[in-house]
Amino acid sequence: MEKSTGLKTETLYKLFVYVSLITLAASIIIPVAWILMASVKENSEFYGSPWASPEGLHLQNFAEAFVEAKMGEYLLNSIIVTSLAIIILLIVALPASYVLSRFTFFGSRFLNSFVKAGLFINVSYIIVPIFLMLLDWDSVLKMILGEGFFLNNRLVLGLIYASTALPFTIFLLSSYFETLPSDFEEAASIDGAGYFRTMFSVMLPMAKPSIIIVILFNFLLFWNEYILALTLMPETNKTLSVGLLNLMAAERAAVNYGPMYAGMVIVMLPTLILYIIVQKRLTQGMTVGGLKG
Amino acid sequence: MSKTSARNFFIVVCITPAILLFTIFMVIPTIDVFRMSLYQWGGFSNEKQFVGFENFKFLWNDMKFIQAFQNSIFLIVIVAIVTLLFAIFFAAVLTNKTINGRGFFRIIFYIPNILSIVVIAGVFSAIYDPSSGLLNSILGVFNLEMWQQKWLGNQQIVIYSVAFALVWQAIGYYMVMYMSSMASVPASFYEAASLEGASSFKQFTDITLPLIWNNIRTTLTFYIISTINLSFLLVKAMTGGGPDGSTEVFLSYMYEQAYGNSTYGYGMAIGVVVFLFSFILSAIISHITKRDVLEY
């Protein structure tokens, strides 16, 4: 008798667990799948039941989003800004992390805590000062050259993305470099390799797993970022997220849903595909020291 | 070149770009926030005028700021508590080896965290849409028409709608974090406890919770910082602070004042208050949740 009640609570508990797991999973899968479906629906279908499956593949939505809403152009901008930012970040952060974690020199302790303090600076607070700074620089340039350079510039946005990602990236890479034994450097030095040689051909190749995590994280961060892009690109060179924001505002007013959902798919598909390929690395890497913006 | 000067040259070349970029684009703007908060600047004139703490005094009587303050605190408290409970529950469930499909659920639960906040805003606008939205149509299917709402149009409800979206996107992230610290608790502890006849709930409260307590404490600070930040990004993309300021939060009000309204000094004063608030709140929370770290 006692055993059967024990079994019963066990089954009830199991049932409860599975129901809650499936509910949460459904709350994530259904909206995402629904967006994918809605992106190929015709406008008239939006007045019917939201649960109806699309009547056909209305790819016109994507054409409209790409051409009329300029999402194609914005996609290109996003690709350019994100890749520039990642390249700049790696070029700047890798040597800095290596030196900060493995060399002691005058001021090295101060510089380490200086950069680490940056972990507490949240980009949302400093958007407007950055904007005003660029505006200032631009107005000086306009007096000298007749045109501005810093606002609406993809390279500058990439540079700023990279700069704001520096503290976290250096923190992550340093904590990896710290774990390496110094034998490698000694061996390289005995073989006659200079400092640069040692860094490029011995130390950096070993950091490859951490570098991949850095690229993954920052890709997601830069690709999804919108508030800096919105503020610093008020006229031209908008990125995909900002384009989607405009599209959402415009389509809702004009009640033309199709292209809006197509735009959402264009923004989310690259991250979803990347995630499915590397999800294990990403969720493991997060525990190395994850701090979210 | 001698050995030391080669070394110094190497060090300088390696760290200068990073320190320069960090200083120009993060440190100086941060200092600017504090400096500009003491000036009356923008609005109608482009003259900078030093006014001391005048901006802060003005804030004190700004009803819109008070409202943003209330909304932010509400969101921080609700989002932190609800996310914490769900994330710990699901983490505990998914570290339990007898559950099937753990890998699948972990992968799915993490998806909201990789989506752009703009996409999340779009997804939830679609869910909350009063006429063609998913939520109202689900309620219609179950004959619960009286619960159907203008989820983003009703001033009493819209803040809950925002809170729900924030919780939705945060659960997976924190779950993965708790899972990794739960996984490091030695299995022998649980074996010993179940030999003693402790139920799995008892094992959870007496073994798991105390051992991952430090991890939970760290995430409490994350909740504060990320809710302040993400509520701004979500509100800006989804409701624009409306209807009638009922979803205005700290940083959206700051952005509106500083960028939309061009009253830079006043906006930065808001930024300073929010920054100090989040800092002090984190310190207090971290202090009152302090327990002796259990070694294992």
Side-chain angles (χ1 to χ4, degrees), chain B residues 7 14 31 60 166 168 177-178 188 199 208 223 256 267 283:
Chain B
R7 185 172 183 270
C14 284
I31 296 171
W60 201 246
L166 286 172
W168 181 84
M177 264 192 130
Y178 297 138
S188 58
S199 68
T208 315
Y223 286 121
E256 196 184 293

Side-chain angles (χ1 to χ4, degrees), chain B:
Chain B
M1 214 166 5
S2 77
K3 185 93 177 140
T4 23
S5 66
R7 185 172 183 270
N8 288 341
F9 176 71
F10 174 70
I11 289 173
V12 169
V13 168
C14 284
I15 59 171
T16 309
I19 299 296
L20 262 183
L21 282 183
F22 175 63
T23 309
I24 294 174
F25 291 116
M26 290 196 84
V27 178
I28 292 178
T30 307
I31 296 171
D32 269 352
V33 171
F34 286 89
R35 197 175 49 89
M36 280 159 60
S37 72
L38 303 176
Y39 285 83
Q40 184 170 27
W41 180 20
F44 295 110
S45 70
N46 209 14
E47 290 290 299
K48 268 191 257 187
Q49 193 197 345
F50 184 82
V51 290
F53 292 100
E54 207 58 36
N55 285 326
F56 294 92
K57 272 187 210 150
F58 197 74
L59 257 186
W60 201 246
N61 297 317
D62 184 347
M63 281 319 287
K64 286 184 94 174
F65 176 70
I66 308 278
Q67 191 178 20
F69 206 106
Q70 286 170 338
N71 287 336
S72 288
I73 291 178
F74 175 82
L75 284 177
I76 291 170
V77 172
I78 290 287
V79 171
I81 292 174
V82 177
T83 313
L84 182 73
L85 292 178
F86 274 107
I88 288 187
F89 170 74
F90 284 111
V93 164
L94 291 186
T95 39
N96 180 345
K97 299 234 166 16
T98 62
I99 302 290
N100 294 319
R102 289 181 296 145
F104 168 78
F105 286 117
R106 205 202 59 216
I107 293 174
I108 297 294
F109 292 173
Y110 197 73
I111 286 181
N113 196 54
I114 59 153
L115 297 179
S116 163
I117 210 86
V118 182
V119 171
I120 293 177
V123 167
F124 276 91
S125 303
I127 290 175
Y128 292 141
D129 192 286
S131 57
S132 64
L134 289 182
L135 189 53
N136 275 352
S137 85
I138 290 177
L139 291 173
V141 169
F142 290 106
N143 278 325
L144 294 167
E145 275 90 356
M146 68 279 196
W147 286 357
Q148 288 181 346
Q149 281 292 345
K150 286 184 178 164
W151 300 102
L152 294 179
N154 186 331
Q155 289 196 33
Q156 256 79 48
I157 288 177
V158 63
I159 194 82
Y160 294 94
S161 308
V162 171
F164 185 82
L166 286 172
V167 170
W168 181 84
Q169 78 86 40
I171 289 177
Y173 174 83
Y174 291 101
M175 184 195 78
V176 170
M177 264 192 130
Y178 297 138
M179 274 173 79
S180 69
S181 61
M182 283 180 190
S184 63
V185 177
S188 58
F189 284 25
Y190 295 112
E191 283 157 21
S194 56
L195 282 180
E196 304 264 332
S199 68
S200 31
F201 184 72
K202 186 108 181 111
Q203 288 179 25
F204 175 76
T205 53
D206 288 9
I207 301 173
T208 315
L209 268 190
L211 287 181
I212 66 163
W213 186 251
N214 240 4
N215 187 249
I216 294 176
R217 268 185 70 202
T218 320
T219 57
L220 289 178
T221 314
F222 284 20
Y223 286 121
I224 298 169
I225 295 170
S226 72
T227 305
I228 288 179
N229 189 29
L230 291 175
S231 63
F232 159 50
L233 296 176
L234 185 71
V235 157
K236 174 108 183 67
M238 191 160 78
T239 66
D244 199 24
S246 51
T247 54
E248 199 76 84
V249 290
F250 280 146
L251 294 182
S252 68
Y253 190 55
M254 173 188 100
Y255 189 82
E256 196 184 293
Q257 291 296 324
Y259 190 71
N261 225 355
S262 295
T263 44
Y264 306 119
Y266 190 55
M268 292 304 102
I270 300 171
V272 170
V273 171
V274 176
F275 177 76
L276 292 179
F277 170 79
S278 68
F279 197 79
I280 292 168
L281 186 64
S282 305
I284 292 173
I285 298 273
S286 157
H287 185 74
I288 58 178
T289 54
K290 196 164 190 154
R291 302 279 183 279
D292 289 330
V293 176
L294 297 171
E295 304 270 346
Y296 56 90

